[in-house]
Amino acid sequence: KVEGKNTHTIFVPEMMEDNKRKLLLANKIIPGLKDGEFSLYYQPKVNPYEEIVGFEALLRWNSPEFGFVSPVEFISIAEQSGKINEITYWVLESVLRDSATLIEHFGSKLSISLNLSVHDLRNPKLFEDIVRLYKELDIDARCIEYEVTESTYLENFDMANEFFGKIKDLGSFIALDDFGTGYSSLSYLTQIELHTLKIDKQFVDNLGVSKRSTLVTKTIIEMAKQLNLNICAEGVETREQTDFLIANGCHQLQGYLFGKPAPLKAILNTFTKR
Ligand code: C2E
Ligand code: CA
Ligand code: CA
Ligand code: CA
């Protein structure tokens, strides 16, 4: 009993602190969006010749109270507190606005991707917003790719697939993010309107660690090739990983070796047109 009480007095305040932070952050998201605390960073994707072929937009929040908050933390809080749709709309509009500058600098074949959350696919307004913003901002749909994780489409398979089909009809692309980390049956891959498979960093990290883990990564790449998917490896940090991934047929590489996520201005100053 004494033990139980002790664990309680230690446990409860920590949980309260945690919940307090969550609540405070949740209430600062919408004002933060309006006050310019959020910004987009862009991380390059390269082809096997190490030419830039695309960028992934990654959201950053620099809060005056909390400092830099990781997207892993605030995206999950936004999802739980029903604020993710506002975030996604902000990201969508900002990425589409930035896309003109990126395309001007890197050429019209550039692919610019943004991340969608599981809740976004349940939002029937999202597709309408995409269509309207493409028109308003005169967007070339072929330059835009939407990254979704496995859990995103598995939780609402029919809805997700309908959305993917509409995105494809519009001329844009869908990438399956963090591939290999979820629980999806591989047969789903043949049923959805998919363009790109992003091999999760954990499989890239596995390369060279052991024969078996290397083989797992090799098998994933082989399967994606058989399915005729564009393959992007994420979290590439070493030459050895690069050589292996290219030798095995990866089309795109993304990772700190080729560039960390950076603000648009820094990207334009650092990287030259191919
Ligand atoms: P993700 O979509 O899998 O993004 C890749 C993450 O890996 C990014 O972290 C990126 O900075 C990091 N990364 C890229 N290359 C390397 C590397 O070589 N080494 C290492 N150690 N890390 C690398 P970040 O920016 O902190 O984002 C984390 C996650 O937050 C993203 O994972 C994504 O799920 C989510 N996220 C970020 N921005 C958005 C957004 O605008 N909307 C939504 N819904 N989610 C977002
Ligand atoms: Ca992503
Ligand atoms: Ca990823
Ligand atoms: Ca991830």
Side-chain angles (χ1 to χ4, degrees):
K1 238 196 169 177
V2 173
E3 242 185 1
K5 260 196 175 167
N6 273 344
T7 48
H8 254 79
T9 48
I10 296 163
F11 190 58
V12 170
E14 273 183 0
M15 268 189 45
M16 273 170 58
E17 277 309 304
D18 192 43
N19 283 335
K20 213 171 112 190
R21 178 178 162 92
K22 275 190 181 168
L23 206 68
L24 286 171
L25 286 172
N27 288 328
K28 293 281 185 233
I29 289 174
I30 306 294
L33 282 171
K34 301 216 158 79
D35 294 344
E37 294 168 20
F38 286 79
S39 64
L40 286 173
Y41 276 34
Y42 290 91
Q43 185 179 32
K45 298 179 184 180
V46 301
N47 67 14
Y49 304 104
E50 293 185 30
E51 299 164 331
I52 289 184
V53 290
F55 288 95
E56 175 177 3
L58 293 155
L59 190 56
R60 294 292 177 263
W61 182 11
N62 191 359
S63 148
E65 274 169 81
F66 297 93
F68 271 103
V69 186
S70 161
V72 177
E73 183 179 17
F74 71 72
I75 292 290
S76 126
I77 291 173
E79 286 172 347
Q80 288 164 29
S81 58
K83 298 186 170 76
I84 190 68
N85 292 349
E86 275 94 337
I87 288 193
T88 300
Y89 185 81
W90 188 91
V91 169
L92 175 69
E93 187 178 357
S94 310
V95 168
L96 294 181
R97 285 190 192 283
D98 286 349
S99 69
T101 310
L102 282 165
I103 288 166
E104 194 187 327
H105 197 87
F106 294 98
S108 61
K109 291 214 166 98
L110 196 71
S111 157
I112 303 159
S113 55
L114 59 122
N115 292 282
L116 295 182
S117 135
V118 58
H119 296 259
D120 292 319
L121 302 190
R122 290 194 210 115
N123 171 15
K125 262 197 78 232
L126 177 63
F127 186 73
E128 291 170 29
D129 289 338
I130 289 173
V131 173
R132 181 175 45 79
L133 285 169
Y134 278 18
K135 274 207 189 106
E136 269 176 30
L137 301 170
D138 195 21
I139 299 296
D140 181 352
R142 289 169 300 181
C143 293
I144 310 295
E145 182 179 66
Y146 297 87
E147 297 192 3
V148 297
T149 59
E150 277 180 300
S151 60
T152 309
Y153 78 84
L154 274 185
E155 277 181 33
N156 336 250
F157 186 76
D158 291 330
M159 233 180 171
N161 221 14
E162 191 193 320
F163 176 80
F164 295 171
K166 287 195 288 191
I167 289 294
K168 191 187 177 188
D169 291 343
L170 199 61
S172 292
F173 302 97
I174 299 287
L176 194 55
D177 205 354
D178 300 348
F179 182 72
T181 59
Y183 305 96
S184 68
S185 141
L186 293 177
S187 67
Y188 277 107
L189 286 182
T190 60
Q191 296 173 41
I192 60 175
E193 302 280 5
L194 202 60
H195 178 258
T196 298
L197 228 161
K198 292 194 80 177
I199 314 261
D200 192 68
K201 181 178 189 305
Q202 104 183 34
F203 297 101
V204 175
D205 288 340
N206 269 340
L207 291 173
V209 170
S210 74
K211 269 194 175 165
R212 286 180 73 181
S213 56
T214 305
L215 190 67
V216 170
T217 306
K218 203 174 166 153
T219 307
I220 291 184
I221 297 170
E222 193 49 46
M223 187 206 61
K225 275 198 286 191
Q226 296 291 330
L227 291 169
N228 255 325
L229 294 168
N230 177 49
I231 310 162
C232 177
E234 56 179 30
V236 180
E237 292 179 344
T238 70
R239 266 297 134 202
E240 290 72 25
Q241 292 167 347
T242 304
D243 294 344
F244 180 94
L245 291 162
I246 292 174
N248 283 279
C250 268
H251 307 104
Q252 295 177 355
L253 306 167
Q254 182 184 0
Y256 291 174
L257 185 66
F258 308 104
K260 288 191 173 178
L264 183 64
K265 262 199 182 149
I267 291 289
L268 299 177
N269 287 330
T270 313
F271 300 100
T272 46
K273 193 175 170 162
R274 65 164 146 147

